[in-house]
Amino acid sequence: MYRFLIALIVLSLIFIKKEYRQKLASTFWRGTVVGVFYALYFIGMFKALETTTVLNISTLYTLIPFITAILCIFFFKEKISKKQLLVYLVAMVGTSIVVFKADIALFLSFSLNSGDAIFLLASISMALYSIFLKALHRKGDKALVFVFSTLLGGSIAMFLSMQILNIPLEWHKIEGELFYYVLYLALATTILTLFLYQKSAALLGSKKLMAYLYLSPAIVAIMSYFWHDTSISFSVFVGILISLFATVILLKEKV
């Protein structure tokens, strides 16, 4: 919530321009709906991490593009061909190879728990976020105004959830170097990311937008290799290639 509010305050500067102020009334409720689903994903993820592992969450994360594709059947009447089903399966396998670092022992020790059920619900919320991002888009929308409305809706959802779950703010603990990390999250991975999501959803659609999630573990592995001297085994490299090719195929598929 701290991250969302910082982003909200920074983004409020756009309302210096009259054309943005005029768009707020028509955008607010739609952005708020989108923001609620976006916030619920993070609420579910952090709640799940109390009783599950990052490895489990990273594995279940690979289901989001497929969940999105299923929801597109009901919301947009889009079909999933047998070829697409196979590609989704291959993409999940490739991404899982990267997540498990091609360690068969690590894979065999994988087990689900109550936290994973919570994250599965959070994943559905993330899929619905992309669905409503597309469904509620209107020609003439200002992307930054929509992002502001999304953050506002998300902040309200987070505040209410903290009251219901009786979670204290404890913002006084965010100080020193940690504050700069949160500032980066607010500017780069909140404002910029939501802006790019908003623009991309209108052009690509929900299925193709979420297909890019298959590349996340691969990109993290590659960045770790260059910035932290983390090695990439041949098996993990194969997993990266599988994720890449599967994503490209999904992006080239006609809706």
Side-chain angles (χ1 to χ4, degrees), residues 12 16 71 76 89-90 156 159 165 173 175 194 210 226:
S12 64
I16 293 174
L71 291 174
F76 305 123
L89 178 61
V90 171
I156 293 170
F159 175 77
L165 298 173
K173 294 183 178 180
E175 57 184 1
L194 285 176
M210 289 294 104
F226 286 105

Side-chain angles (χ1 to χ4, degrees), residues 3 37-38 40-42 44-46 48-49 52-69 88-89 91-100 110 112 115-130 189 193 197 206-221 243 247 250:
R3 161 191 174 183
F37 285 110
Y38 190 63
L40 286 175
Y41 167 74
F42 287 106
M45 179 182 70
F46 286 117
L49 280 169
T52 191
T53 65
V54 174
L55 180 64
N56 282 30
I57 279 182
S58 299
T59 305
L60 293 174
Y61 186 74
T62 64
L63 293 174
I64 294 178
F66 181 66
I67 293 171
T68 304
Y88 275 114
L89 178 61
M92 283 188 276
V93 170
T95 307
S96 295
I97 291 173
V98 180
V99 169
F100 285 98
F110 176 76
L112 297 174
D116 296 317
I118 295 172
F119 186 71
L120 186 58
L121 292 174
S123 299
I124 294 173
S125 185
M126 187 61 172
L128 286 169
Y129 158 74
S130 68
T189 66
T193 302
Y197 271 147
S206 302
K207 281 169 64 175
K208 290 186 177 182
L209 177 65
M210 289 294 104
Y212 279 100
L213 294 185
Y214 287 128
L215 298 180
S216 294
I219 292 171
V220 170
S243 300
T247 303
L250 287 172

Side-chain angles (χ1 to χ4, degrees), residues 181-246:
Y181 293 150
V182 175
L183 190 61
Y184 165 77
L185 289 173
L187 300 179
T189 66
T190 303
I191 294 177
L192 181 59
T193 302
L194 285 176
F195 175 79
L196 294 174
Y197 271 147
Q198 169 66 17
K199 300 290 283 187
S200 301
L203 297 171
L204 298 175
S206 302
K207 281 169 64 175
K208 290 186 177 182
L209 177 65
M210 289 294 104
Y212 279 100
L213 294 185
Y214 287 128
L215 298 180
S216 294
I219 292 171
V220 170
I222 293 170
M223 291 174 69
S224 296
Y225 174 79
F226 286 105
W227 291 351
H228 301 295
D229 296 323
T230 304
S231 62
I232 298 178
S233 67
F234 177 74
S235 299
V236 171
F237 182 70
V238 171
I240 291 173
L241 289 180
I242 291 172
S243 300
L244 176 61
F245 287 126

